[in-house]
């Protein structure tokens, strides 16, 4: 079958050289590895909390133990309240917690002493720390109220509070954080975005090879042979699909089983989403190769198509921060639908839940492949055409 012969020749031309393996396999794997390392492993355990505990009683120490026991923060003691604020301004910590000197005494007197929470900007970590502090103060007030009814002396009350908190710290009844899978993992959209960007580098490769065939009159000889136009386009498409599939599988295997990055998506469902995007990229490559007649214009593909579409499709930042009209334009960008499908699947979505993004990607691929097969013709004129 002519299409298979054309596809096999394209695979040999792409991966038959060392440069092909480096550009289309090694480089994407390295970039995705760095992306996972820098962005994909952002967790609450990396949040540094500076604290100053000037309380001499047991209540302040109990509050710090509650924060430490959560396992969500890295606690770092500061020398003073001024030092704590300075560390925040210098980005040496994310949140600051200051426990006043009379914290335990205020609890025992029936008051509600405040715990100061410092932050440069409001974040999820600062809100959670405020909630932890408030709930801890309420529990301490409840224990102190019961102790006041049982003891009259201040020394006896403080000793009783210390014993109560000591028993409470043994955690006979503990809590367990359960991930309800309501949100995609932090950094997943960035990891997916960079993966999609390097998958689109195949566009430049396909266009360059087709332009080379046109310049060397190889494409002209194909069209003079008893081969239909769609078979030529299909052969170029299948050859690029093999290379793209190899790239996707290696990247997924490396990130999942070597880097141990947990996407939260079944492997086959993730592969299906990325392959659907690959079909769109190859359709776009066929269309561009059919429209470009000048070899010099091929160098503009990354700057005019790949990078702008990745920016508009949400590969580098959330779509929500873009103006409304740009969010509407993003509906025509395949990256937007691929990232949306990954995020839905990461929150427990099934194949039925991502049917709309997959259908949009499939429609884009069919339209672009049809246009590409229609406009892919040998050019008798243009820069670099043999005489």
């Amino acid at each position: 079958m002519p299409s298979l012969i054309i596809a096999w020749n394209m695979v040999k031309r792409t991966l038959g050289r060392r440069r092909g393996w480096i550009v289309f396999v090694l480089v994407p794997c390295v970039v995705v590895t760095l992306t996972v390392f820098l962005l994909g492993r952002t967790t609450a355990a990396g949040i540094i909390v500076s604290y100053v505990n000037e309380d001499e009683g047991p209540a302040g120490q109990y509050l710090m133990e509650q924060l430490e026991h959560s396992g969500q923060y890295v606690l770092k003691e500061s020398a003073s309240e001024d030092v704590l604020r300075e560390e925040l301004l210098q980005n040496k910590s994310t949140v600051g917690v200051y426990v006043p000197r009379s914290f335990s005494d205020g609890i025992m007197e029936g008051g509600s002493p405040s715990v100061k929470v410092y932050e440069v900007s409001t974040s999820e970590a600062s809100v959670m720390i405020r909630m932890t502090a408030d709930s801890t103060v309420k529990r301490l007030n409840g224990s102190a109220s019961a102790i006041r009814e049982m003891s009259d002396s201040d020394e006896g009350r403080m000793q009783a509070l210390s014993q109560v908190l000591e028993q409470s710290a043994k955690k006979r009844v503990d809590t367990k954080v359960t991930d309800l899978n309501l949100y995609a993992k932090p950094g997943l959209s960035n990891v997916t975005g960079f993966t999609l960007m390097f998958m689109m580098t195949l566009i430049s490769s396909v266009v360059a090879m087709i332009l080379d065939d046109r310049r060397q009159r190889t494409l002209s000889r194909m069209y003079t042979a008893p081969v239909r136009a769609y078979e030529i386009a299909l052969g170029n498409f299948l050859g690029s699909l093999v290379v793209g599939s190899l790239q996707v599988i290696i990247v997924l295997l490396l990130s999942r089983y070597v880097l141990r990055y947990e996407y939260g998506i079944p492997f086959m469902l993730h592969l299906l989403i990325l392959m659907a995007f690959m079909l769109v990229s190859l359709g776009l490559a066929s269309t561009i190769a059919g429209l470009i007649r000048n070899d010099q214009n091929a160098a503009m593909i990354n700057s005019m198509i790949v990078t702008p579409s990745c920016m508009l499709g949400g590969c580098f930042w959330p779509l929500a921060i873009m103006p409304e009209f740009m969010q509407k334009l993003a509906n025509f960008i395949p990256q937007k639908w691929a990232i949306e499908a990954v995020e839905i699947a990461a929150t427990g979505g099934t194949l039925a839940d991502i049917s709309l993004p997959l259908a949009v990607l499939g429609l884009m691929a069919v339209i672009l492949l049809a246009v590409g097969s229609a406009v892919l013709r040998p050019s008798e004129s243009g820069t670099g055409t043999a005489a």
Side-chain angles (χ1 to χ4, degrees):
M1 186 177 180
S3 297
L4 296 179
I5 297 175
I6 296 172
W8 174 243
N9 287 331
M10 176 167 281
V11 172
K12 289 195 299 183
R13 290 167 60 187
T14 303
L15 299 180
R17 299 173 297 174
R18 181 183 301 175
R19 180 179 179 275
W21 282 96
I22 294 175
V23 173
F24 300 110
V25 178
L26 181 61
V27 172
C29 290
V30 170
V31 172
V32 173
T33 299
L34 292 175
T35 305
V36 170
F37 179 77
L38 296 175
L39 301 175
R41 297 183 181 276
T42 302
T43 61
I47 297 174
I48 299 177
V49 178
S50 297
Y51 73 93
V52 174
N53 180 18
E54 295 186 348
D55 181 39
E56 298 178 354
Q61 182 62 33
Y62 178 75
L63 174 60
M64 292 298 102
E65 291 174 355
Q66 292 300 299
L67 293 176
E68 186 177 9
H69 178 74
S70 68
Q72 297 180 332
Y73 315 109
V74 177
L75 298 183
K76 184 179 69 172
E77 186 174 7
S78 299
S80 64
E81 188 176 4
D82 293 335
V83 174
L84 182 149
R85 288 196 292 260
E86 189 66 24
E87 290 176 345
L88 286 173
L89 294 176
Q90 295 178 359
N91 292 323
K92 294 182 178 180
S93 60
T94 308
V95 184
V97 178
Y98 173 74
V99 181
R101 186 179 304 274
S102 57
F103 184 68
S104 294
D105 293 334
I107 292 290
M108 289 309 305
E109 292 173 0
S112 296
S114 61
V115 176
K116 295 182 181 179
V117 178
Y118 293 95
E119 56 188 345
V120 176
S121 60
T122 302
S123 62
E124 180 183 357
S126 63
V127 173
M128 291 300 297
I129 289 175
R130 289 182 188 275
M131 293 176 61
T132 301
D134 292 341
S135 62
T136 301
V137 170
K138 289 181 180 179
R139 290 199 303 271
L140 290 172
N141 282 332
S143 300
S145 177
I147 292 173
R148 285 195 300 271
E149 296 178 358
M150 298 170 54
S151 177
D152 294 331
S153 66
D154 293 339
E155 183 178 350
R157 290 176 179 177
M158 194 63 68
Q159 185 178 1
L161 178 62
S162 179
Q163 293 175 352
V164 169
L165 296 183
E166 182 181 351
Q167 293 298 318
S168 177
K170 293 182 179 179
K171 300 293 182 181
R172 291 189 174 90
V173 178
D174 205 350
T175 59
K176 181 179 180 181
V177 178
T178 301
D179 186 2
L180 298 179
N181 214 24
L182 299 177
Y183 300 97
K185 185 176 182 178
L188 178 60
S189 60
N190 299 105
V191 174
T192 304
F194 278 91
T195 303
L196 299 180
M197 182 181 69
F198 276 87
M199 287 171 62
M200 293 193 73
T201 57
L202 277 179
I203 294 179
S204 301
S205 171
V206 173
V207 172
M209 282 190 290
I210 292 178
L211 290 178
D212 184 64
D213 288 341
R214 182 179 288 133
R215 184 176 59 254
Q216 300 296 331
R217 295 300 183 93
T218 303
L219 198 60
S220 298
R221 290 192 291 270
M222 288 183 185
Y223 275 89
T224 58
V227 180
R228 295 180 176 87
Y230 80 88
E231 290 180 321
I232 297 174
L234 181 61
N236 288 307
F237 165 77
L238 291 177
S240 302
L241 182 63
V242 172
V243 177
S245 301
L246 181 63
Q247 181 189 86
V248 171
I249 292 174
I250 291 178
V251 167
L252 286 182
L253 291 176
L254 176 66
S255 59
R256 282 174 173 268
Y257 302 112
V258 177
L259 298 179
R260 300 293 182 180
Y261 180 71
E262 186 59 48
Y263 287 95
I265 311 171
F267 180 84
M268 294 307 299
L269 187 60
H270 198 182
L271 180 63
L272 175 63
I273 296 171
L274 295 183
M275 290 306 300
F277 178 80
M278 178 65 69
L279 295 179
V280 180
S281 299
L282 297 180
L284 182 60
S286 300
T287 301
I288 295 173
L291 295 175
I292 290 181
R293 292 293 184 267
N294 193 322
D295 291 359
Q296 297 177 354
N297 294 335
M300 302 173 59
I301 293 176
N302 285 329
S303 59
M304 297 298 294
I305 296 176
V306 175
T307 302
S309 64
C310 287
M311 295 170 64
L312 193 60
C315 291
F316 308 133
W317 47 69
L319 293 177
I321 69 174
M322 300 194 306
E324 184 177 355
F325 78 94
M326 295 183 69
Q327 295 183 33
K328 293 180 180 179
L329 288 176
N331 291 323
F332 299 94
I333 305 299
Q335 289 93 321
K336 183 257 187 184
W337 295 101
I339 293 175
E340 180 177 318
V342 169
E343 290 181 343
I344 292 175
T347 57
T350 62
L351 182 60
D353 297 320
I354 62 173
S355 58
L356 177 59
L358 289 181
V360 174
L361 290 174
L363 181 61
M364 288 181 177
V366 171
I367 294 175
L368 289 172
L369 288 171
V371 173
S373 62
V375 300
L376 186 62
R377 291 289 187 276
S379 177
E380 298 301 332
S381 61
T383 302
T385 304

